[in-house]
Coordinates of all heavy atoms in Angstrom, one line a residue:
Chain A
E1260 N -63.0 143.9 77.6 CA -63.7 143.2 76.4 C -63.2 141.8 76.2 O -63.9 141.0 75.6 CB -63.7 144.1 75.2 CG -62.4 144.5 74.6 CD -61.7 145.7 75.3 OE1 -62.2 146.1 76.4 OE2 -60.8 146.2 74.7
Q1261 N -61.9 141.6 76.5 CA -61.4 140.2 76.3 C -61.6 139.3 77.5 O -61.0 138.2 77.6 CB -59.8 140.3 76.1 CG -59.5 141.0 74.8 CD -58.0 141.2 74.6 OE1 -57.2 140.2 74.8 NE2 -57.6 142.4 74.3
G1262 N -62.4 139.8 78.5 CA -62.7 138.9 79.6 C -61.7 138.9 80.7 O -61.7 138.1 81.7
R1263 N -60.7 139.9 80.6 CA -59.6 139.9 81.6 C -59.9 140.8 82.7 O -60.6 141.8 82.5 CB -58.3 140.4 80.9 CG -57.9 139.4 79.8 CD -56.5 139.9 79.2 NE -56.6 141.3 78.8 CZ -55.6 141.9 78.1 NH1 -54.5 141.1 77.8 NH2 -55.8 143.1 77.7
V1264 N -59.5 140.4 83.9 CA -59.8 141.2 85.1 C -58.4 141.7 85.7 O -57.5 141.0 85.8 CB -60.5 140.3 86.2 CG1 -60.7 141.1 87.5 CG2 -61.8 139.8 85.6
V1265 N -58.4 143.0 86.0 CA -57.2 143.6 86.6 C -57.4 143.5 88.2 O -58.5 143.8 88.6 CB -57.0 145.0 86.1 CG1 -57.8 146.0 86.8 CG2 -55.5 145.4 86.1
Y1266 N -56.4 143.1 88.9 CA -56.5 143.0 90.3 C -55.7 144.2 91.0 O -54.6 144.5 90.5 CB -56.0 141.7 90.9 CG -56.9 140.6 90.6 CD1 -56.8 139.9 89.3 CD2 -57.8 140.2 91.5 CE1 -57.7 138.9 89.1 CE2 -58.7 139.1 91.3 CZ -58.7 138.5 90.1 OH -59.5 137.5 89.8
A1267 N -56.2 144.8 92.1 CA -55.5 145.8 92.8 C -55.4 145.4 94.3 O -56.2 144.6 94.8 CB -56.3 147.1 92.7
I1268 N -54.4 145.8 94.9 CA -54.1 145.6 96.4 C -55.1 146.5 97.2 O -55.4 147.5 96.8 CB -52.7 145.7 96.7 CG1 -52.3 145.1 98.1 CG2 -52.3 147.2 96.7 CD1 -50.8 145.0 98.4
T1269 N -55.6 145.8 98.3 CA -56.5 146.7 99.2 C -55.6 147.2 100.4 O -54.4 146.7 100.5 CB -57.6 145.8 99.8 OG1 -56.9 144.7 100.5 CG2 -58.5 145.2 98.6
E1270 N -56.2 148.0 101.2 CA -55.5 148.5 102.4 C -55.1 147.3 103.3 O -54.0 147.2 103.8 CB -56.4 149.4 103.2 CG -56.2 150.8 102.9 CD -54.8 151.2 102.7 OE1 -54.0 151.1 103.7 OE2 -54.4 151.7 101.6
R1271 N -56.0 146.3 103.4 CA -55.7 145.1 104.2 C -54.6 144.3 103.6 O -53.8 143.8 104.3 CB -57.0 144.3 104.3 CG -57.0 143.2 105.3 CD -58.4 142.8 105.6 NE -58.4 141.6 106.4 CZ -59.4 140.9 106.6 NH1 -60.6 141.2 106.1 NH2 -59.3 139.8 107.3
G1272 N -54.6 144.3 102.3 CA -53.5 143.6 101.6 C -52.2 144.3 101.9 O -51.1 143.6 102.2
R1273 N -52.1 145.7 101.9 CA -50.9 146.4 102.2 C -50.4 146.1 103.6 O -49.2 145.9 103.8 CB -51.1 147.9 102.0 CG -51.2 148.3 100.6 CD -51.1 149.8 100.4 NE -51.5 150.1 99.1 CZ -50.6 150.1 98.0 NH1 -49.3 149.7 98.3 NH2 -51.0 150.4 96.8
S1274 N -51.4 146.0 104.5 CA -50.9 145.8 105.9 C -50.4 144.3 106.0 O -49.4 144.1 106.8 CB -51.9 146.2 107.0 OG -53.1 145.6 106.7
E1275 N -51.0 143.4 105.3 CA -50.5 142.0 105.3 C -49.1 142.0 104.8 O -48.2 141.3 105.3 CB -51.5 141.1 104.6 CG -51.0 139.7 104.4 CD -50.7 138.9 105.7 OE1 -51.2 139.3 106.7 OE2 -49.9 137.9 105.6
L1276 N -48.9 142.7 103.7 CA -47.6 142.7 103.0 C -46.5 143.3 104.0 O -45.4 142.8 104.1 CB -47.6 143.5 101.8 CG -46.4 143.6 100.9 CD1 -45.9 142.2 100.4 CD2 -46.6 144.5 99.7
E1277 N -46.9 144.4 104.7 CA -46.0 145.0 105.6 C -45.6 144.1 106.7 O -44.5 143.9 107.1 CB -46.7 146.2 106.2 CG -45.8 147.4 106.5 CD -46.7 148.6 106.8 OE1 -47.2 149.3 105.9 OE2 -46.9 148.8 108.0
R1278 N -46.6 143.4 107.2 CA -46.4 142.4 108.3 C -45.4 141.3 107.8 O -44.5 140.9 108.5 CB -47.7 141.7 108.7 CG -47.6 140.8 109.9 CD -48.8 139.9 110.0 NE -48.9 138.9 108.9 CZ -48.2 137.9 108.7 NH1 -47.2 137.6 109.7 NH2 -48.3 137.1 107.7
W1279 N -45.6 140.8 106.6 CA -44.8 139.8 106.0 C -43.3 140.3 105.9 O -42.4 139.5 106.3 CB -45.3 139.4 104.6 CG -44.5 138.3 104.0 CD1 -44.4 137.0 104.4 CD2 -43.8 138.3 102.7 NE1 -43.5 136.3 103.6 CE2 -43.2 137.1 102.5 CE3 -43.7 139.4 101.8 CZ2 -42.5 136.7 101.4 CZ3 -42.9 139.0 100.6 CH2 -42.4 137.8 100.4
F1280 N -43.1 141.5 105.4 CA -41.7 142.0 105.2 C -41.1 142.2 106.5 O -39.9 142.0 106.7 CB -41.7 143.3 104.4 CG -41.8 143.1 103.0 CD1 -42.7 143.8 102.2 CD2 -40.9 142.2 102.3 CE1 -42.7 143.7 100.8 CE2 -40.9 142.1 100.9 CZ -41.8 142.8 100.2
S1281 N -41.9 142.5 107.6 CA -41.2 142.8 108.9 C -41.1 141.6 109.8 O -40.6 141.7 110.9 CB -42.0 143.9 109.6 OG -43.3 143.5 109.9
T1282 N -41.6 140.4 109.3 CA -41.5 139.2 110.2 C -40.4 138.3 109.7 O -40.5 137.8 108.5 CB -42.9 138.4 110.1 OG1 -43.9 139.4 110.4 CG2 -42.9 137.3 111.2
P1283 N -39.4 137.9 110.4 CA -38.4 137.0 109.9 C -39.0 135.6 109.8 O -40.0 135.2 110.4 CB -37.3 137.0 111.1 CG -37.8 137.9 112.1 CD -39.2 138.3 111.8
I1284 N -38.4 134.9 108.9 CA -38.8 133.4 108.6 C -38.2 132.6 109.7 O -37.0 132.7 110.0 CB -38.3 133.0 107.3 CG1 -38.5 134.0 106.1 CG2 -38.8 131.6 106.9 CD1 -39.8 133.9 105.5
A1285 N -39.0 131.7 110.3 CA -38.6 130.8 111.3 C -37.9 129.5 110.6 O -38.4 129.1 109.6 CB -39.7 130.3 112.2
Q1286 N -36.8 129.1 111.2 CA -36.1 127.9 110.7 C -37.1 126.7 110.5 O -37.0 126.0 109.6 CB -34.9 127.5 111.5 CG -33.7 128.4 111.3 CD -33.0 128.1 110.0 OE1 -33.1 127.1 109.4 NE2 -32.3 129.1 109.5
S1287 N -38.0 126.6 111.6 CA -38.8 125.5 111.6 C -39.9 125.5 110.5 O -40.6 124.5 110.2 CB -39.5 125.4 112.9 OG -40.3 126.6 113.1
D1288 N -40.0 126.6 109.8 CA -41.1 126.7 108.7 C -40.5 126.0 107.5 O -41.2 125.8 106.5 CB -41.4 128.1 108.4 CG -42.2 128.8 109.5 OD1 -42.6 128.1 110.4 OD2 -42.3 130.0 109.4
R1289 N -39.2 125.7 107.4 CA -38.6 125.1 106.3 C -38.8 123.6 106.3 O -38.7 123.0 107.3 CB -37.1 125.5 106.2 CG -37.0 127.0 106.0 CD -35.6 127.4 106.0 NE -35.5 128.9 105.9 CZ -34.4 129.6 106.1 NH1 -33.2 129.0 106.3 NH2 -34.5 130.9 106.1
P1290 N -38.9 123.0 105.1 CA -39.1 121.6 105.1 C -37.8 120.9 105.6 O -36.8 121.4 105.6 CB -39.3 121.3 103.6 CG -38.8 122.4 102.9 CD -38.9 123.6 103.8
R1291 N -38.1 119.6 106.1 CA -36.9 118.8 106.5 C -36.1 118.5 105.3 O -36.5 118.3 104.2 CB -37.5 117.5 107.1 CG -38.1 117.8 108.4 CD -38.3 116.6 109.2 NE -39.1 116.9 110.4 CZ -40.4 116.5 110.6 NH1 -40.9 115.6 109.8 NH2 -41.1 116.9 111.6
D1292 N -34.8 118.3 105.6 CA -33.8 118.1 104.6 C -33.5 116.6 104.5 O -33.0 116.0 105.3 CB -32.5 118.9 105.0 CG -31.5 118.9 103.9 OD1 -31.5 118.0 103.1 OD2 -30.7 119.8 103.8
E1293 N -33.9 116.1 103.3 CA -33.7 114.7 103.0 C -32.3 114.2 103.1 O -32.0 113.1 103.5 CB -34.3 114.4 101.6 CG -34.2 112.9 101.3 CD -34.7 112.5 99.9 OE1 -35.3 113.4 99.2 OE2 -34.4 111.4 99.5
L1294 N -31.4 115.1 102.7 CA -30.0 114.7 102.6 C -29.5 114.5 104.1 O -28.7 113.5 104.3 CB -29.2 115.8 102.0 CG -27.6 115.6 102.1 CD1 -27.2 114.3 101.4 CD2 -26.9 116.9 101.4
V1295 N -29.9 115.3 105.0 CA -29.4 115.1 106.4 C -29.9 113.8 106.9 O -29.2 113.0 107.5 CB -30.0 116.3 107.3 CG1 -29.6 116.1 108.8 CG2 -29.5 117.6 106.8
I1296 N -31.2 113.5 106.6 CA -31.7 112.2 107.1 C -31.0 111.1 106.4 O -30.7 110.1 107.0 CB -33.3 112.2 106.8 CG1 -34.0 113.3 107.6 CG2 -33.9 110.8 107.1 CD1 -35.3 113.7 107.1
K1297 N -30.7 111.2 105.1 CA -30.1 110.2 104.4 C -28.7 109.9 105.0 O -28.3 108.7 105.2 CB -29.9 110.6 102.9 CG -29.3 109.5 102.0 CD -28.9 110.0 100.7 CE -30.0 109.8 99.6 NZ -29.4 110.1 98.3
L1298 N -28.0 110.9 105.3 CA -26.6 110.7 105.8 C -26.6 110.0 107.2 O -25.9 109.1 107.5 CB -25.8 112.0 105.9 CG -24.9 112.2 104.6 CD1 -23.9 113.4 104.9 CD2 -24.0 110.9 104.4
A1299 N -27.6 110.5 108.0 CA -27.7 110.0 109.4 C -28.0 108.5 109.2 O -27.5 107.7 110.0 CB -28.8 110.8 110.1
M1300 N -28.9 108.2 108.3 CA -29.3 106.7 108.1 C -28.2 105.9 107.6 O -27.9 104.8 107.9 CB -30.5 106.6 107.2 CG -31.8 107.2 107.8 SD -32.3 106.2 109.2 CE -33.6 107.2 109.8
A1301 N -27.4 106.6 106.7 CA -26.2 105.9 106.1 C -25.2 105.5 107.1 O -24.6 104.4 107.0 CB -25.6 106.7 105.0
V1302 N -25.0 106.3 108.1 CA -24.0 106.1 109.2 C -24.6 104.9 110.1 O -23.8 104.1 110.6 CB -23.8 107.4 110.0 CG1 -23.0 107.1 111.2 CG2 -23.1 108.4 109.2
T1303 N -25.9 104.9 110.2 CA -26.5 103.9 111.1 C -26.6 102.5 110.5 O -26.3 101.6 111.1 CB -28.0 104.4 111.5 OG1 -27.9 105.8 111.8 CG2 -28.5 103.6 112.7
A1304 N -27.0 102.5 109.2 CA -27.3 101.3 108.6 C -26.0 100.5 108.2 O -25.0 101.2 107.9 CB -28.1 101.5 107.3
P1305 N -26.0 99.2 108.3 CA -24.7 98.4 108.1 C -24.4 98.4 106.5 O -25.3 98.4 105.7 CB -25.0 97.0 108.6 CG -26.6 96.9 108.5 CD -27.1 98.3 108.7
G1306 N -23.2 98.3 106.3 CA -22.7 98.1 104.9 C -22.9 99.2 103.9 O -22.8 99.0 102.7
V1307 N -23.1 100.5 104.4 CA -23.2 101.6 103.5 C -21.9 102.3 103.3 O -21.2 102.5 104.4 CB -24.3 102.6 104.0 CG1 -24.5 103.8 103.0 CG2 -25.6 101.9 104.1
D1308 N -21.4 102.6 102.1 CA -20.2 103.4 101.9 C -20.5 104.8 102.1 O -20.9 105.6 101.2 CB -19.8 103.1 100.5 CG -18.5 104.0 100.1 OD1 -18.0 104.6 101.0 OD2 -18.2 104.0 98.9
V1309 N -20.4 105.2 103.4 CA -20.9 106.6 103.7 C -20.0 107.6 103.0 O -20.5 108.7 102.5 CB -20.8 106.9 105.3 CG1 -21.3 108.2 105.6 CG2 -21.5 105.8 106.0
R1310 N -18.7 107.4 102.9 CA -17.8 108.3 102.2 C -18.3 108.4 100.8 O -18.2 109.5 100.2 CB -16.4 107.9 102.3 CG -15.4 109.0 101.9 CD -14.0 108.6 102.1 NE -13.7 108.9 103.6 CZ -12.4 108.8 104.0 NH1 -11.4 108.4 103.2 NH2 -12.1 109.0 105.3
G1311 N -18.6 107.4 100.1 CA -19.2 107.4 98.8 C -20.4 108.2 98.6 O -20.5 109.0 97.7
V1312 N -21.3 108.1 99.6 CA -22.5 108.9 99.6 C -22.1 110.4 99.7 O -22.7 111.2 98.9 CB -23.4 108.6 100.8 CG1 -24.6 109.4 100.9 CG2 -23.9 107.1 100.7
V1313 N -21.2 110.7 100.5 CA -20.8 112.1 100.7 C -20.1 112.6 99.4 O -20.5 113.7 98.9 CB -19.7 112.3 101.9 CG1 -19.1 113.7 101.9 CG2 -20.4 111.9 103.2
Q1314 N -19.3 111.8 98.8 CA -18.6 112.3 97.6 C -19.6 112.4 96.4 O -19.5 113.4 95.6 CB -17.5 111.3 97.2 CG -16.3 111.5 98.1 CD -15.1 110.5 97.8 OE1 -15.3 109.7 96.9 NE2 -14.1 110.6 98.7
A1315 N -20.5 111.5 96.3 CA -21.5 111.6 95.2 C -22.4 112.8 95.4 O -22.6 113.5 94.4 CB -22.3 110.3 95.1
Q1316 N -22.7 113.1 96.6 CA -23.6 114.3 96.9 C -22.8 115.6 96.6 O -23.2 116.5 96.0 CB -24.1 114.3 98.3 CG -25.0 115.4 98.6 CD -26.3 115.3 97.8 OE1 -26.9 114.2 97.7 NE2 -26.7 116.4 97.2
R1317 N -21.5 115.6 97.0 CA -20.7 116.8 96.8 C -20.5 117.1 95.3 O -20.6 118.3 94.9 CB -19.3 116.6 97.5 CG -18.6 117.9 97.7 CD -17.4 117.8 98.6 NE -16.6 116.6 98.2 CZ -15.7 116.1 99.0 NH1 -15.5 116.6 100.2 NH2 -15.0 115.1 98.7
S1318 N -20.3 116.0 94.5 CA -20.1 116.3 93.1 C -21.4 116.8 92.5 O -21.4 117.7 91.7 CB -19.7 115.1 92.4 OG -18.4 114.7 92.7
A1319 N -22.5 116.2 93.0 CA -23.9 116.6 92.5 C -24.2 118.1 92.9 O -24.6 118.9 92.0 CB -25.0 115.7 92.9
T1320 N -23.9 118.4 94.1 CA -24.1 119.8 94.6 C -23.2 120.8 93.9 O -23.6 121.9 93.6 CB -24.0 119.9 96.1 OG1 -24.7 118.8 96.7 CG2 -24.4 121.2 96.6
M1321 N -22.0 120.3 93.6 CA -21.1 121.2 92.9 C -21.6 121.5 91.5 O -21.5 122.6 91.0 CB -19.6 120.6 92.8 CG -18.7 121.5 92.1 SD -18.6 123.2 92.5 CE -17.6 123.1 94.0
R1322 N -22.1 120.4 90.8 CA -22.7 120.7 89.5 C -23.9 121.7 89.6 O -24.0 122.6 88.7 CB -23.2 119.3 88.9 CG -22.0 118.6 88.2 CD -22.6 117.5 87.2 NE -23.1 116.4 88.1 CZ -22.3 115.4 88.5 NH1 -21.0 115.4 88.3 NH2 -22.8 114.5 89.3
A1323 N -24.7 121.5 90.6 CA -25.7 122.5 90.8 C -25.2 123.9 91.0 O -25.7 124.9 90.4 CB -26.6 122.0 92.0
L1324 N -24.2 124.0 91.8 CA -23.5 125.3 92.0 C -23.0 125.9 90.8 O -23.1 127.1 90.5 CB -22.3 125.1 93.0 CG -22.5 125.6 94.4 CD1 -21.2 125.2 95.2 CD2 -22.7 127.1 94.5
Q1325 N -22.4 125.0 89.9 CA -21.8 125.5 88.7 C -23.0 126.0 87.8 O -22.9 127.1 87.1 CB -21.1 124.4 87.9 CG -19.7 124.0 88.5 CD -19.1 122.9 87.9 OE1 -19.7 121.8 87.9 NE2 -17.9 123.0 87.4
T1326 N -24.1 125.3 87.7 CA -25.2 125.7 86.9 C -25.8 127.1 87.4 O -26.1 128.0 86.7 CB -26.3 124.7 87.0 OG1 -25.8 123.4 86.6 CG2 -27.5 125.0 86.1

Side-chain angles (χ1 to χ4, degrees):
Chain A
E1260 59 275 16
Q1261 293 175 54
R1263 298 182 306 187
V1264 177
V1265 83
Y1266 285 86
I1268 192 166
T1269 60
E1270 267 318 300
R1271 195 160 166 190
R1273 283 192 192 278
S1274 52
E1275 172 59 19
L1276 182 62
E1277 214 168 279
R1278 188 198 62 76
W1279 181 60
F1280 277 131
S1281 61
T1282 312
I1284 310 274
Q1286 280 290 334
S1287 58
D1288 290 348
R1289 295 178 186 170
R1291 290 194 188 115
D1292 189 331
E1293 183 184 345
L1294 175 60
V1295 176
I1296 295 161
K1297 184 195 267 192
L1298 263 189
M1300 291 297 171
V1302 172
T1303 316
V1307 180
D1308 173 12
V1309 184
R1310 191 174 280 189
V1312 173
V1313 170
Q1314 284 176 3
Q1316 184 63 46
R1317 192 168 51 195
S1318 291
T1320 307
M1321 178 51 75
R1322 274 195 289 274
L1324 255 175
Q1325 287 173 305
T1326 306

